[in-house]
């Protein structure tokens, strides 16, 4: 067999799948996916079939009448024919539907069906193209809200399934596991990892969820950075300034731009004087300052880092009225508080270098024993805050997990200034926030 022809086989199949997706040709795509992958990528653009199905909805230029719903093999291997999807785009050979002429409106219904078909066949919801965009990012940028919502829901399904696989040893055979993964939008026997948006950078132990708030958040150009973990953080030296608290690797533990978020959180959690409050994670002390201004009757603070505890002594936190400082990890302190029967009207949780699994364990196993009837609790919601679709996915995931644990949650949206424009990340290794708004959760017991 001719080596060049044999090597072109997989590439040819990939281009067929990409073009069928861009044409929204369900019949051809279904046939191709019987043997091919829904996660092939174009070599030039990095587009997956999901990217092409979404991108073609934005086409408004006249397209070649040579565009067809099926690709002729002889055309694909002809030396003068476009060889890649990128070349076909440049040559006007991609269309939405069987063929689209100048000014014709894209068939969004067909695009929805195509996207759903790809997801049902294991397409990964957060694959990145060479412009560092997931399919959902692309849909959002193009204003295709209906397709964006489909991608968000796909991400939620995938993350919820993976969280269950992480939490339980499922007694199923391989065929059952592959079927479950495909239903969630995952390729069988794979964990959805891609350049720059790997589950290691947003997941619990490279499998599920997203690292809680600021901790270990990595942007695509930061993929080579060493992950932050609790053990290393607690051994690291810290740098305190009026604008930030940095660890030994110049990761932002807490920053002054969060002040407005903390002030509003304190207002919502502690509307009256004389309440009992608990804060887990002191950091720069921003929220504890605002909690003090609400005149609580008791104010407990749990802080694990020795340098922060030393700073608190210098600032006379242990001398403030009603304040009790607990030095140590919350995992060790909280059980003692529960055993002693100490309860609170308001609880805030904002730790560093812990992942979502720790936050989930906190509210699933501990808040019930700490929060008095009628009380409120909250946490710093930075889950997936490096891109909008991740934030939207993890907002839904945590909302579902909270409901299962017995909590209602109400969200208040707060604006966040352009932190790049204001130079907030200068000298900071990890820019852990990239979004224009923050969703502030307030949680209460159901009923």
């Amino acid at each position: 067999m001719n080596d060049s022809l044999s090597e072109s086989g997989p590439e040819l199949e990939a281009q067929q799948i990409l073009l069928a997706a861009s044409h929204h040709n369900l019949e051809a795509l279904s046939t191709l996916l019987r043997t091919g992958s829904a996660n092939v990528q174009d070599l030039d653009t990095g587009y997956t079939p999901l990217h092409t199905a979404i991108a073609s909805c934005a086409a408004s230029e006249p397209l070649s009448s040579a565009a067809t719903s099926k690709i002729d093999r002889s055309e694909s291997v002809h030396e003068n024919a476009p060889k890649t999807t990128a070349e076909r785009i440049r040559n006007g050979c991609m269309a939405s539907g069987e063929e689209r002429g100048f000014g014709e409106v894209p068939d969004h219904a067909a695009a929805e069906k195509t996207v759903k078909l790809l997801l049902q066949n294991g397409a990964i919801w957060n694959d990145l193209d060479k412009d560092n965009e997931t399919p959902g990012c692309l849909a959002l940028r193009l204003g295709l809200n209906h397709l964006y919502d489909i991608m968000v829901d796909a991400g939620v399904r995938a993350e919820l399934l993976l969280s269950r696989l992480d939490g339980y040893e499922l007694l199923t055979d391989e065929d059952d596991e592959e079927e479950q993964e495909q239903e969630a939008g995952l390729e069988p026997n794979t964990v959805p990892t891609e350049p720059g948006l790997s589950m290691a950078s947003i997941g619990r132990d490279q499998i599920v969820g997203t690292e809680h708030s600021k901790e270990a958040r990595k942007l695509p150009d930061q993929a080579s950075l060493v992950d932050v973990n609790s053990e290393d953080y607690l051994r690291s030296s810290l740098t305190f300034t009026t604008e930030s608290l940095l660890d030994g690797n110049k990761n932002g533990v807490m920053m002054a731009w969060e002040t407005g978020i903390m002030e509003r959180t304190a207002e919502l959690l502690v509307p009256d004087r004389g309440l009992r409050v608990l804060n887990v994670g002191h950091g720069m002390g921003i929220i504890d300052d605002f909690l003090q201004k609400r005149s609580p009757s008791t104010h407990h603070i749990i802080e694990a880092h020795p340098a922060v505890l030393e700073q608190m002594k210098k600032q006379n936190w242990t001398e403030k009225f009603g304040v009790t400082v607990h030095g140590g990890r919350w995992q060790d302190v909280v059980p003692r508080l529960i055993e002693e029967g100490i309860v609170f009207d308001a609880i805030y949780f904002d730790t560093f270098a812990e992942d979502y699994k720790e936050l989930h364990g906190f509210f699933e196993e501990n808040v019930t024993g700490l929060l008095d009837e009628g009380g409120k609790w909250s946490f710093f919601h930075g889950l997936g805050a490096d891109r909008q679709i991740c934030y939207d996915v993890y907002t839904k995931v945590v909302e579902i997990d909270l409901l299962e644990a017995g909590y209602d949650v109400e969200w208040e949206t707060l604006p966040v200034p352009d932190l790049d424009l204001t130079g907030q990340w200068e000298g900071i290794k990890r820019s852990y926030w990239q979004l224009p708004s923050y969703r502030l959760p307030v949680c209460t017991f159901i009923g």
Side-chain angles (χ1 to χ4, degrees):
M1 179 181 291
N2 184 298
D3 288 342
S4 62
L5 289 178
S6 64
E7 290 176 359
S8 67
E11 293 181 7
L12 173 62
E13 183 179 55
Q15 297 307 317
Q16 290 175 320
I17 293 172
L18 289 165
L19 284 171
S22 74
H23 287 256
H24 304 150
N25 190 317
L26 298 175
E27 181 181 358
L29 188 57
S30 297
T31 300
L32 289 164
L33 291 175
R34 291 174 187 170
T35 57
S37 170
N39 295 303
V40 297
Q41 287 187 287
D42 179 69
L43 296 177
D44 284 356
T45 64
Y47 272 14
T48 66
L50 283 172
H51 286 92
T52 61
I54 293 169
S56 62
C57 287
S60 60
E61 296 297 322
L63 298 163
S64 168
S65 61
T68 59
S69 61
K70 294 184 180 179
I71 307 169
D72 180 73
R73 177 178 288 269
S74 63
E75 180 200 46
S76 297
V77 299
H78 190 278
E79 62 179 3
N80 293 323
K83 298 296 192 300
T84 67
T85 301
E87 289 175 343
R88 290 179 177 274
I89 293 172
R90 288 193 292 269
N91 283 274
C93 295
M94 294 186 70
S96 173
E98 293 294 318
E99 195 172 329
R100 197 161 84 235
F102 178 69
E104 193 167 336
V105 177
D107 189 345
H108 288 183
E112 288 187 24
K113 293 178 181 178
T114 302
V115 168
K116 289 178 180 179
L117 176 63
L118 290 166
L119 292 168
Q120 290 165 4
N121 282 272
I124 296 173
W125 71 274
N126 56 355
D127 255 332
L128 292 174
D129 64 16
K130 290 190 176 180
D131 287 330
N132 188 38
E133 287 190 314
T134 69
C137 297
L138 182 60
L140 182 64
R141 178 168 59 81
L142 296 176
L144 303 170
N145 294 336
H146 57 301
L147 298 180
Y148 179 76
D149 290 341
I150 292 174
M151 294 311 306
V152 169
D153 289 342
V156 173
R157 289 195 301 272
E159 295 302 291
L160 287 175
L161 173 65
L162 288 170
S163 69
R164 274 49 177 181
L165 293 176
D166 184 42
Y168 305 98
E169 292 183 6
L170 300 181
L171 301 178
T172 59
D173 58 32
E174 290 186 3
D175 290 338
D176 290 339
E177 290 177 359
E178 289 185 5
E179 182 178 347
Q180 288 177 323
E181 290 174 351
Q182 285 181 333
E183 288 176 356
L186 305 175
E187 193 171 11
N189 298 318
T190 66
V191 175
T193 59
E194 317 81 33
L197 192 58
S198 67
M199 296 307 287
S201 66
I202 57 174
R204 56 169 83 157
D205 299 327
Q206 301 186 356
I207 291 183
V208 63
T210 184
E211 298 221 347
H212 177 57
S213 73
K214 297 157 285 226
E215 45 275 28
R217 171 64 47 221
K218 289 193 294 186
L219 296 178
D221 60 352
Q222 300 171 319
S224 62
L225 296 178
V226 177
D227 283 333
V228 178
N229 63 71
S230 181
E231 184 177 343
D232 290 341
Y233 165 65
L234 293 179
R235 290 198 302 259
S236 70
S237 60
L238 300 182
T239 301
F240 296 85
T241 73
T242 57
E243 294 298 318
S244 65
L245 170 59
L246 307 181
D247 71 3
N249 292 316
K250 296 189 182 301
N251 297 305
V253 178
M254 180 172 283
M255 299 182 68
W257 69 261
E258 302 172 31
T259 298
I261 292 172
M262 300 300 173
E263 181 177 19
R264 183 57 180 158
T265 301
E267 291 173 354
L268 292 173
L269 289 182
V270 189
D272 302 311
R273 299 166 62 92
L275 298 181
R276 300 157 295 175
V277 302
L278 167 66
N279 177 39
V280 182
H282 180 76
M284 293 174 68
I286 299 174
I287 195 163
D288 283 312
D289 282 334
F290 286 117
L291 291 174
Q292 273 290 291
K293 292 177 181 178
R294 314 298 292 179
S295 301
S297 61
T298 60
H299 183 175
H300 288 244
I301 304 170
I302 300 175
E303 175 54 50
H305 201 291
V308 176
L309 289 169
E310 185 63 28
Q311 185 77 357
M312 294 177 73
K313 288 182 181 179
K314 294 177 181 179
Q315 296 174 341
N316 297 318
W317 273 97
T318 56
E319 307 298 322
K320 295 179 185 291
F321 175 78
V323 171
T324 301
V325 177
H326 304 272
R329 299 170 67 248
W330 68 263
Q331 292 91 338
D332 300 321
V333 175
V334 165
R336 295 201 299 267
L337 296 177
I338 294 175
E339 186 177 352
E340 294 172 13
I342 300 175
V343 294
F344 303 93
D345 302 298
I347 300 171
Y348 189 64
F349 186 93
D350 183 13
T351 61
F352 182 78
E354 292 187 335
D355 61 23
Y356 176 65
K357 192 173 185 177
E358 300 299 326
L359 170 63
H360 187 272
F362 177 75
F363 68 71
E364 185 177 55
E365 301 171 9
N366 296 283
V367 171
T368 302
L370 292 171
L371 191 64
D372 204 357
E373 184 177 355
K376 303 175 183 178
W377 75 275
S378 184
F379 57 93
F380 184 86
H381 176 30
L383 305 171
D386 55 358
R387 62 181 67 228
Q388 189 65 56
I389 188 168
C390 291
Y391 199 58
D392 291 341
V393 165
Y394 301 130
T395 296
K396 288 191 173 185
V397 168
V398 72
E399 192 170 57
I400 292 170
D401 285 342
L402 285 167
L403 180 63
E404 290 183 351
Y407 305 102
D408 277 327
V409 58
E410 294 185 2
W411 303 93
E412 180 170 312
T413 301
L414 303 177
V416 175
D418 189 325
L419 302 178
D420 290 317
L421 188 64
T422 55
Q424 294 290 326
W425 303 123
E426 292 181 7
I428 309 294
K429 184 173 287 188
R430 299 174 187 269
S431 48
Y432 57 82
W433 193 275
Q434 293 290 313
L435 306 179
S437 60
Y438 172 84
R439 291 179 187 144
L440 192 166
V442 177
C443 310
T444 57
F445 290 121
I446 291 177

